[in-house]
Amino acid sequence: MADFFAHYWPHIFFALSVVVGVAAAIHAAMTKDDVRAAIGWVGIVILSPFIGALLYAVAGINRVRQQATNRRHAATGLKRGTATISPVDVATFAAGQFVALKTLVDSISGFPLATGNSITPLNGGDETYPAMIEAIDAAEKSVVLQSYIFDSDIIGNEIVAALARAQKRGVEIRVLVDAIGARYSRPPVTRALARAGIPHALFNGAVIGFRMPYANLRSHRKVLVIDGRIGLTGGMNIRQVFTTAFAGSDVMHDRHFRITGPIVSQLLASFMHDWQVTTGEELSDGWFADMSDDADNDDAKIAARVVPSGPDRNLAKTHNVLLGAITVAQSHIRISSPYFLPDQQLIGALAVAAQRGVTVDIVLPSTNNLKLVDYAMTAQLDQLLRPGCRIWRATGAFDHSKLMTVDGAWSYVGSSNIDPRSLRLNFELDVEIYDRKTAADIEAAIDTRIRDSLPETLATLQQRPFWQRLRNRMIWLASPYL
C-alpha cells in the first residue's frame, strides 16, 4: 500500500483536487445570489482547487443563515413595548410619498414603526462619550452595551470605570464586544472588564479552530440601553480618536443619537438576541421598561423603528431599505458614508434618481483609514457621476459618519456602511426616522461637510495618473471581499 501511494500520489492528489474543487464550485454556483460573489468564488476554486476550496469553506459559506441562529428574532421586543403600537400615518410625520416605503420596511424589519420617540443627535466623541457615561452613572436597574470596537484606551477605561460604579450600586450589566473589534487595542478591553467582574462576552469569540468558518462574520452594531428606557446608538465605536482632547484637529468625525421612547425596547431586543446567541443566557422580560408614559410626552413625537440586518434571516434588509428610499425620493438625497461601495442595484437606483431630476449628494472622505477600500470606491465613482450624481470629498480629518436623508423628511442612521461587508456580511443595526426636524439636523451636518469639500468629477478622476487608475480598478475587482 505504501508503495502504491508513493508511486501514484500525484494521480491521487489530482483526483482529490478535482473532486474537492468541483464540489466547492458547484456549491458556490448553486447557493450564491450575488453573481459577482458566485463568479469570484468559482474562479478562485478553479484556479486553486485545494486552497480555493479551503478559503471558500472558511469565508464563503453562510453558516449563520443556514443554521437560522436568528430563531428568536426580536420576539421579546415585539412582546414588550411594541406589540400594542397603533398603525402610523407617515404622511403626518413626513410626506405621503413615504407610505410605500413604510409598507416595504413593515414587511422586512421585524419591528413596527412606533411614535412617541425622542431622538437627540450627538456630535462626535466630545458629546457622545460624556452622554454615555452620564447615562451609565444614572442607571438604577440595568445597562447593556454592545460595540464593534471597544478600545482599552483613555475613553474605554472611563466607560469601564462607569460600568464598574454602576455594578457596585447593584445595577445588572451585560457587555458584548465583537471578537475582531476587541483586538484593535492591546491589551484588549476584556481584561479590564474581567478585573471589574463585569459580565461580558465576545461575539463570535473563537476565531480559530471550530469557529474559524465564522471569522468573516462580525457584529458591527453599537448599542447602549439604560434601564430599558434610554438608548444610544449610531456609527461610533468606543475609541479616543473621536475626542479632541486626544486627537486635536485630527479628531475623527461621527454621529451618535440618544433615544427615548418605544424603539428603545427594539434596541434592547436586538441586544438580547445577540447576547442569547453568543452566551446562551436569555435575559428576562424584566429588563424592559413600561413606555406608555413616554408616548404622551409632547416632545416625543418622532416616528421611528430599528432595522437589524446581517447574514442570517436579516440578509439584505438594509440594502432593500436603501433601494426603497431612493425610489420614493422626489427632490433630494443626501448620503454621507466613509466606505461607499454600492452594488450595481444601488448604483442603478441612484443613477435613475439623478436622471429623473432628484439632486443626489454623496459625501466621501478625502483621506480614508482603509486605503484599499478608498481605491475601490474611486474606481466606480464614474458610474454615478455620468448620470448626474454629485460627489464630494470632505477635507480635514476622517469622517466616519453613516447618514442618509431623503427629501428633508426621512433619515437613516446607524452602523451600516454602504459596502458589501455591511450589506451582506456584518451584523448591523440602523434606525429609520420619519421626522422633518431630525432630517433637517442631519442635512445641516452633511451640508456643512459639503461646504468644506472638494467636488469629485469625471475630470478629476481622469486627471489621476494611469497607474493609479489601473491600481484602483484592479482592487475594485476584489470589492466584494474587502
Side-chain angles (χ1 to χ4, degrees), residues 19 22 42 45 67 106 139 153 162 165 208 224 251 277 297 307 323 339 461:
V19 172
V22 168
V42 170
V45 170
Q67 294 178 0
D106 281 343
D153 56 17
R165 291 193 297 270
I208 58 175
L224 173 65
V251 62
V277 168
N297 185 350
V307 181
L323 278 177
Y339 316 120
L461 292 177

Side-chain angles (χ1 to χ4, degrees), residues 276-294:
Q276 192 272 336
V277 168
T278 302
T279 68
E281 180 188 13
E282 184 171 353
L283 302 181
S284 70
D285 286 357
W287 287 67
F288 290 95
D290 183 2
M291 298 292 179
S292 58
D293 293 338
D294 294 353

Side-chain angles (χ1 to χ4, degrees), residues 14 24 43 45 106 137 156 171 196 236 249 252 276 316-317 343 363 391 398 441-442:
F14 175 76
V45 170
D106 281 343
D137 281 337
V171 175
M236 194 173 307
S249 59
M252 289 188 181
Q276 192 272 336
K317 286 190 174 182
D343 61 14
V363 182
I391 297 175
F398 178 60
D441 176 84
I442 295 172

Side-chain angles (χ1 to χ4, degrees), residues 56-306:
Y56 178 68
V58 171
I61 300 175
N62 191 338
R63 291 174 176 79
V64 172
R65 193 180 187 189
Q66 287 181 342
Q67 294 178 0
T69 59
N70 205 22
R71 58 192 176 274
R72 290 181 61 254
H73 174 231
T76 47
L78 292 171
K79 181 169 62 176
R80 292 293 307 273
T82 60
T84 59
I85 290 173
S86 302
V88 178
D89 180 8
V90 297
T92 63
F93 292 89
Q97 73 199 72
F98 293 101
V99 172
L101 178 60
K102 174 188 177 294
T103 301
L104 167 67
V105 187
D106 281 343
S107 69
I108 64 177
S109 170
F111 288 117
L113 187 66
T115 61
N117 301 288
S118 174
I119 300 177
T120 303
L122 300 170
N123 189 19
D126 291 346
E127 293 185 4
T128 299
Y129 301 138
M132 293 173 68
I133 293 171
E134 179 184 0
I136 295 169
D137 281 337
E140 298 177 354
K141 296 180 180 179
S142 64
V143 175
V144 302
L145 173 61
Q146 181 175 10
S147 185
Y148 172 55
I149 300 174
F150 190 160
D151 276 351
S152 182
D153 56 17
I154 294 173
I155 293 299
N157 290 332
E158 288 180 357
I159 291 176
V160 170
L163 293 170
R165 291 193 297 270
Q167 183 162 264
K168 288 180 179 178
R169 300 193 305 271
V171 175
E172 288 275 359
I173 297 176
R174 301 291 186 275
V175 178
L176 185 60
V177 185
D178 183 77
I180 299 297
R183 289 168 170 80
Y184 274 66
S185 64
R186 289 288 184 270
V189 74
T190 50
R191 294 188 186 179
L193 293 169
R195 284 196 301 269
I198 296 171
H200 65 281
L202 292 177
F203 183 90
N204 225 356
V207 295
I208 58 175
F210 293 112
R211 297 291 294 176
M212 188 63 188
Y214 301 86
N216 201 36
L217 307 178
R218 308 169 188 174
S219 174
H220 202 231
R221 295 169 178 169
K222 291 95 174 173
V223 175
L224 173 65
V225 177
I226 309 296
D227 295 338
R229 303 186 66 86
I230 299 172
L232 285 92
T233 192
M236 194 173 307
N237 294 297
I238 300 174
R239 314 192 78 181
Q240 64 188 15
V241 292
F242 290 101
T243 62
T244 54
F246 172 81
S249 59
D250 294 327
V251 62
M252 289 188 181
H253 301 282
D254 210 330
R255 279 255 163 153
H256 229 60
F257 297 85
R258 184 184 186 276
I259 301 171
T260 60
I263 68 166
V264 175
S265 292
Q266 299 178 8
L267 292 174
L268 180 56
S270 174
F271 175 90
M272 291 171 71
H273 167 261
D274 289 352
W275 180 261
Q276 192 272 336
V277 168
T278 302
T279 68
E281 180 188 13
E282 184 171 353
L283 302 181
S284 70
D285 286 357
W287 287 67
F288 290 95
D290 183 2
M291 298 292 179
S292 58
D293 293 338
D294 294 353
D296 297 329
N297 185 350
D298 289 337
D299 295 327
K301 296 299 183 182
I302 296 174
R305 85 173 105 208
V306 167

